[in-house]
Amino acid sequence: MPVVSQVTCPVCGSFCDDIEVIVKNNVITDVRNACAIGAAKFLDYANHRSVKPLVRKNGELVEASLDEAIRKSAEILIDATYPILYGWSSTSCEAIRVGLELAEEVGGVIDNTSTICHGPSILSIQDVGISSCTLGQLRHRADLIVYWGCNPWSSHPRHVERYTTFSNGRFQKSTWRAYVSRLGGILSKKRLRRAVNLVLRRDVFATPEISRELPYTMFKKKRKMVVVDVRKTHSADVADYFLQVEPNKDYELLQAFRMLIADEELDVDRVAGVPVETLDEIADVMIGCKLGVIFFGLGLTMTEGKLRNIDAAISLVRDLNRRTKFLIMPMRGHFNVAGANVVFTWQTGYPFAVDFSQGYPQYNPGETSVIDILCRDETDAALVVASDPVAHFPKKAAQNLVKNPLIVIDPQTTPTSLMADVVFPSTFVGIETEGTAYRMDHVPLPLKKIVEPPSNCLSDVEILQRILHEVRRLGSKRK
């Protein structure tokens, strides 16, 4: 059976490019090297999909021709005075480019999913800059990995394996064997506990408390991993040390680290629930590493402080670079959300929340971001591409989104597509359509076409181009 190799996985921001896909009679039968999430997407992508355009008539979605759906979409966008175009993080850069052209043509607002995830990170980076690099460099050289406010074991399952703690780099070795040995000890302890409880018919072991003392592995000259979070996750189980911070106290903890790294004293015993002695020891580990990196997630960007948390984290990295080498990188979620920011910036100068209503691009997050526009009920139509805002937006924003004419371009049936007035079932980017996307470290990688799509389905690029052409044709007629 033919094997398609070096396939990039269109799921998360890790964007693994070593996937092997086995295809038989235009059907994917097996996937190698992928995580459970990636394998499920490759093997089950075709389940429960619609293959024909739908248009709402008399309150119901009914099948329609592609031309009818295109014409209806163009009329909705032309008749609107302030349309929004949202999504873009799970499609190709080529489609995003056409979407920006369409937004400018109809004088609307175009926004991507950064507005609900790493928008605060982008604002902070614009304020104070960022020290970053590629994931490949970290794989070879980083000896201290800090995951702050994120759980890569669940959200980016191969990130630890491919780029950090469990990867074999040129100068840093994998700690996989040490983890397996430690895991064996933990399992033996659990078995012993169960056996003792069974014999004595009561739990003789108290619930173990999280140890504040740093383990000996934190002081060895090898790759180390620290997880900072409000709760213990699977990633914390893998780490050499788990630092539990009180909810919404990340800013205080980051500023405390900055003071300790500057050799200043703290006049308190604890910061964010952590003893100062522990923070002092971790600060020494940070200073003592050869190359450290902080990966941060929504636990930092979407908790109290938001962009100020990222300001503090980037400033901490800047302070550390006076003593050693340190870098910082956001853990991006959707596989091409970084690409959306890049293409938006190429075309307009701004990474998200771009308003074309005045005939030129304007950027004012909080004012021109889609959720704020929807909550103020200012829009009168919407186009959603490869996203599901009804399932993820605040209730008020979702209600105002669906009460106006709504167009959805998505290969999957979602709550948003079920509420839409026009639905285009497109092809799956990276499986049925090729394209380009950006990894979380802003490295562009190609997306391969592995199987042929259904004959009725067009790619996001083709659908958007046809809508754009129809908008221009109808617009010239009305002038």
Side-chain angles (χ1 to χ4, degrees):
M1 284 185 285
V3 178
V4 185
S5 58
Q6 296 183 333
V7 174
T8 43
C9 176
V11 174
C12 73
S14 295
F15 212 26
C16 302
D17 57 353
D18 61 342
I19 310 298
E20 293 183 348
V21 181
I22 294 90
V23 182
K24 183 180 181 182
N25 298 329
N26 201 43
V27 175
I28 296 175
T29 59
D30 199 5
V31 183
R32 299 170 185 160
N33 300 333
C35 66
I37 303 172
K41 177 158 187 179
F42 280 110
L43 294 172
D44 302 328
Y45 75 95
N47 296 343
H48 312 296
R49 74 181 293 181
S50 175
V51 295
K52 291 188 176 179
L54 304 173
V55 173
R56 190 171 294 279
K57 294 178 180 176
N58 299 321
E60 291 188 3
L61 283 172
V62 297
E63 291 185 0
S65 67
L66 184 62
D67 289 339
E68 182 184 357
I70 294 286
R71 188 167 55 254
K72 178 73 175 174
S73 302
E75 288 171 353
I76 289 172
L77 292 173
I78 285 181
D79 292 339
T81 55
Y82 198 46
I84 57 174
L85 295 84
Y86 176 77
W88 311 107
S89 299
S90 294
T91 187
S92 65
C93 292
E94 291 80 359
I96 299 168
R97 184 185 61 77
V98 181
L100 284 159
E101 202 173 349
L102 179 61
E104 186 174 14
E105 189 70 31
V106 299
V109 173
I110 186 165
D111 200 357
N112 56 60
T113 56
S114 297
T115 197
I116 57 169
C117 58
H118 276 282
S121 308
I122 294 170
L123 296 177
S124 296
I125 292 167
Q126 288 172 333
D127 281 345
V128 295
I130 189 169
S131 303
S132 196
C133 65
T134 66
L135 289 171
Q137 289 172 303
L138 295 175
R139 173 183 179 174
H140 292 299
R141 297 179 183 278
D143 62 340
L144 176 60
I145 317 294
V146 180
Y147 287 104
W148 197 311
C150 55
N151 181 14
W153 196 259
S154 298
S155 60
H156 301 71
R158 296 190 70 207
H159 193 272
V160 176
E161 169 205 332
R162 276 176 61 82
Y163 305 119
T164 61
T165 313
F166 293 159
S167 65
N168 254 325
R170 185 175 177 187
F171 306 106
Q172 296 294 332
K173 300 303 176 189
S174 167
T175 61
W176 170 251
R177 289 184 181 279
Y179 167 67
V180 171
S181 300
R182 183 154 52 94
L183 188 63
I186 293 171
L187 292 176
S188 299
K189 191 175 178 181
K190 284 184 178 177
R191 287 192 204 101
L192 178 63
R193 178 180 176 174
R194 281 199 296 270
V196 171
N197 291 344
L198 193 63
V199 171
L200 300 179
R201 297 182 182 281
R202 60 189 177 90
D203 190 354
V204 297
F205 295 91
T207 303
E209 293 184 359
I210 297 172
S211 174
R212 294 295 186 189
E213 293 183 3
L214 266 61
Y216 73 98
T217 55
M218 289 290 288
F219 302 100
K220 294 180 74 174
K221 289 186 177 180
K222 62 164 194 164
R223 180 174 272 169
K224 297 171 278 290
M225 175 175 162
V226 175
V227 169
V228 185
D229 212 333
V230 296
R231 66 179 68 84
K232 195 168 186 181
T233 61
H234 287 303
S235 301
D237 290 335
V238 176
D240 293 278
Y241 187 70
F242 170 54
L243 183 62
Q244 187 168 20
V245 57
E246 291 178 350
N248 296 318
K249 294 291 181 65
D250 299 276
Y251 184 82
E252 288 88 337
L253 193 62
L254 288 161
Q255 295 293 13
F257 273 129
R258 291 189 66 195
M259 292 184 67
L260 292 171
I261 285 162
D263 290 332
E264 296 179 22
E265 291 191 2
L266 296 172
D267 294 332
V268 293
D269 296 329
R270 305 172 76 87
V271 176
V274 184
V276 171
E277 293 80 9
T278 304
L279 297 181
D280 205 10
E281 290 181 345
I282 296 173
D284 287 341
V285 172
M286 288 180 170
I287 294 170
C289 74
K290 292 180 180 177
L291 175 63
V293 59
I294 297 175
F295 290 102
F296 64 94
L298 302 193
L300 207 55
T301 65
M302 285 296 163
T303 52
E304 197 169 291
K306 290 196 171 184
L307 74 162
R308 296 304 170 204
N309 292 337
I310 315 304
D311 277 358
I314 294 173
S315 299
L316 170 63
V317 169
R318 185 181 59 206
D319 295 346
L320 282 163
N321 275 309
R322 296 192 179 102
R323 313 285 292 271
T324 182
K325 294 176 183 173
F326 232 90
L327 303 160
I328 186 167
M329 188 178 297
M331 293 287 285
R332 307 308 299 270
H334 299 285
F335 71 88
N336 197 28
V337 63
N341 298 142
V342 169
V343 179
F344 272 48
T345 307
W346 280 350
Q347 300 289 91
T348 69
Y350 306 115
F352 67 106
V354 183
D355 186 346
F356 284 102
S357 61
Q358 299 299 314
Y360 55 88
Q362 291 180 299
Y363 172 66
N364 189 10
E367 185 73 23
T368 60
S369 35
V370 158
I371 287 185
D372 298 280
I373 291 170
L374 286 169
C375 287
R376 295 195 300 267
D377 196 15
E378 293 176 346
T379 183
D380 52 358
L383 167 67
V384 175
V385 179
S387 187
D388 186 13
V390 169
H392 300 100
F393 275 10
K395 182 180 177 182
K396 187 177 180 182
Q399 286 174 335
N400 289 334
L401 174 70
V402 301
K403 78 177 187 181
N404 295 316
L406 174 61
I407 308 158
V408 171
I409 302 175
D410 201 318
Q412 303 175 92
T413 300
T414 65
T416 304
S417 68
L418 293 175
M419 304 294 287
D421 296 282
V422 184
V423 180
F424 292 95
S426 60
T427 55
F428 281 88
V429 181
I431 298 177
E432 298 171 332
T433 304
E434 60 187 11
T436 309
Y438 279 71
R439 203 167 60 187
M440 65 168 67
D441 56 351
H442 287 196
V443 172
L445 293 170
L447 291 155
K448 287 189 175 181
K449 179 180 179 180
I450 303 166
V451 296
E452 291 295 330
S455 57
N456 295 328
C457 291
L458 299 179
S459 67
D460 295 337
V461 179
E462 293 170 302
I463 294 169
L464 288 165
Q465 284 176 335
R466 292 189 64 167
I467 294 175
L468 177 61
H469 180 268
E470 187 67 13
V471 165
R472 285 174 172 163
R473 191 184 69 81
L474 291 177
S476 62
K477 270 187 173 182
R478 294 187 182 186
K479 284 179 181 176

